[in-house]
Amino acid sequence: MNLNAIDRYAKSLIKEAGHKIRVSFFNTIDIDSKSDANDLVTNIDKEVERFFIERVKEDFPDHKIVSEEGFGDRISSLDGTVWFLDPIDGTMNFIHQKRNFAISLGIYVDGVGMLGYIYDVMADDLYHAAKNEGAYFNDERLPQLEVTPLEEAVIGINASWVAPNAKVDNDKIIQLVTRCRGTRSYGSAAIELAYVSSGRIDAYISMRLAPWDIAGGIVIAQEVGALATNLQGEAPHLLGTDSFIVTRPNLHNEILTNYIRLK
Ligand code: IPD
Ligand code: CA
Ligand code: CA
């Protein structure tokens, strides 16, 4: 398999899809809700997903594509070449802010992440990586992540975990957000992963993410030495939803051991 050719192909699809999304703001966007009133989807999420699927199925008929809006394949194993696509990660931002959302794409071969892309559509910033070939922010090579003490770390976390909740001991999260330098919540897991990889934040924690949220970002994160696991410290499995943490290498064990108590 010629991964360089697939890389060029994937980048051109992403740029074309990004253009479609930007142009969509000239028309009325249809908004629907899914599992609850705040779980949003638009006609543009669906159109972009169908655009990728049609192209990939035509040009790589033996590849699988797993994607959020359900037009792709259902898989029960990671055998073969699998594309994990979130056509718009951060749909709420897409609708409310018209910025801070991304196309997230990871291409895996027999379960190994080979190519990863996070495209911040409105900024026109592409974070990308190929396994063992380094990670890039547009044309700029991203350096290996260095040590940052927790007291100087900015942590990406949703504020709701500081309130009592069913998933995690919020007293520990209060200790974490009190001890670190600051917190941020951007509303797009993919952008938060890209920000950890590019050193803009130092860790990102989520209690529940899907494979298409993280598959591309994991490839990028691994190329700069970030550690990405679920909140039990296990490698992400990409066959269903799970908790997730990605950090600079020195913060992973410290955060998991001292500040995360799952219920
Ligand atoms: C969501 C965003 C959000 C995260 C949610 C995801 P969507 O993806 O990444 O930041 O907290 O868990 O579902 O629905 O906008 O593609
Ligand atoms: Ca998503
Ligand atoms: Ca999405």
Side-chain angles (χ1 to χ4, degrees):
M1 179 180 307
N2 185 342
L3 276 174
N4 284 334
I6 295 177
D7 180 42
R8 284 195 298 276
Y9 178 88
K11 281 177 182 149
S12 79
L13 282 190
I14 287 168
K15 290 288 175 122
E16 196 176 336
H19 178 72
K20 284 178 191 293
I21 295 172
R22 286 187 295 270
V23 165
S24 76
F25 288 128
F26 293 113
N27 297 313
T28 308
I29 294 170
D30 300 330
I31 304 167
D32 264 330
S33 55
K34 296 191 284 186
S35 60
D36 63 60
N38 299 323
D39 182 11
L40 303 175
V41 63
T42 73
N43 56 317
I44 308 304
D45 300 63
K46 294 177 186 171
E47 280 169 28
V48 171
E49 181 164 314
R50 284 204 206 93
F51 161 75
F52 272 90
I53 291 172
E54 277 164 22
R55 290 285 184 89
V56 173
K57 289 288 169 192
E58 193 174 319
D59 294 322
F60 301 99
D62 58 326
H63 291 193
K64 299 259 190 313
I65 180 156
V66 175
S67 45
E68 176 162 25
E69 308 309 339
F71 301 109
D73 298 297
R74 290 191 193 290
I75 59 167
S76 54
S77 98
L78 297 177
D79 293 348
T81 302
V82 183
W83 297 49
F84 292 94
L85 170 73
D86 194 339
I88 298 182
D89 183 61
T91 297
M92 200 183 288
N93 290 348
F94 170 67
I95 294 166
H96 284 255
Q97 305 180 342
K98 297 188 166 58
R99 69 190 67 211
N100 295 326
F101 57 87
I103 297 171
S104 169
L105 175 66
I107 302 177
Y108 283 58
V109 178
D110 295 330
V112 179
M114 304 305 289
L115 299 166
Y117 310 88
I118 295 168
Y119 183 46
D120 180 333
V121 174
M122 300 313 284
D124 189 23
D125 283 334
L126 180 64
Y127 302 80
H128 56 105
K131 187 175 170 54
N132 298 329
E133 288 180 23
Y136 290 81
F137 167 58
N138 297 320
D139 294 330
E140 201 180 298
R141 176 108 182 209
L142 291 170
Q144 292 293 301
L145 296 175
E146 291 173 0
V147 169
T148 292
L150 186 58
E151 290 75 9
E152 294 173 18
V154 177
I155 298 190
I157 190 165
N158 184 325
S160 60
W161 306 116
V162 175
N165 67 83
K167 292 211 161 155
V168 71
D169 179 351
N170 69 304
D171 285 333
K172 288 278 170 196
I173 301 291
I174 290 170
Q175 289 172 25
L176 175 65
V177 303
T178 308
R179 183 141 172 242
C180 71
R181 179 166 275 174
T183 59
R184 294 291 183 273
S185 186
Y186 294 96
S188 159
I191 287 181
E192 286 164 296
L193 250 157
Y195 282 6
V196 172
S197 296
S198 50
R200 294 177 187 170
I201 59 175
D202 304 288
Y204 167 64
I205 301 168
S206 173
M207 303 309 154
R208 192 164 187 271
L209 289 176
W212 44 78
D213 296 317
I214 56 175
I218 288 170
V219 180
I220 301 168
Q222 284 172 343
E223 287 300 308
V224 293
L227 297 178
T229 67
N230 65 16
L231 290 176
Q232 276 97 6
E234 301 157 349
H237 57 69
L238 298 180
L239 284 173
T241 57
D242 204 350
S243 57
F244 184 70
I245 179 169
V246 59
T247 74
R248 282 182 190 271
N250 67 297
L251 293 175
H252 188 264
N253 185 44
E254 183 175 3
I255 293 175
L256 277 190
T257 307
N258 298 338
Y259 300 100
I260 303 291
R261 293 269 181 286
L262 293 174
K263 289 183 176 167

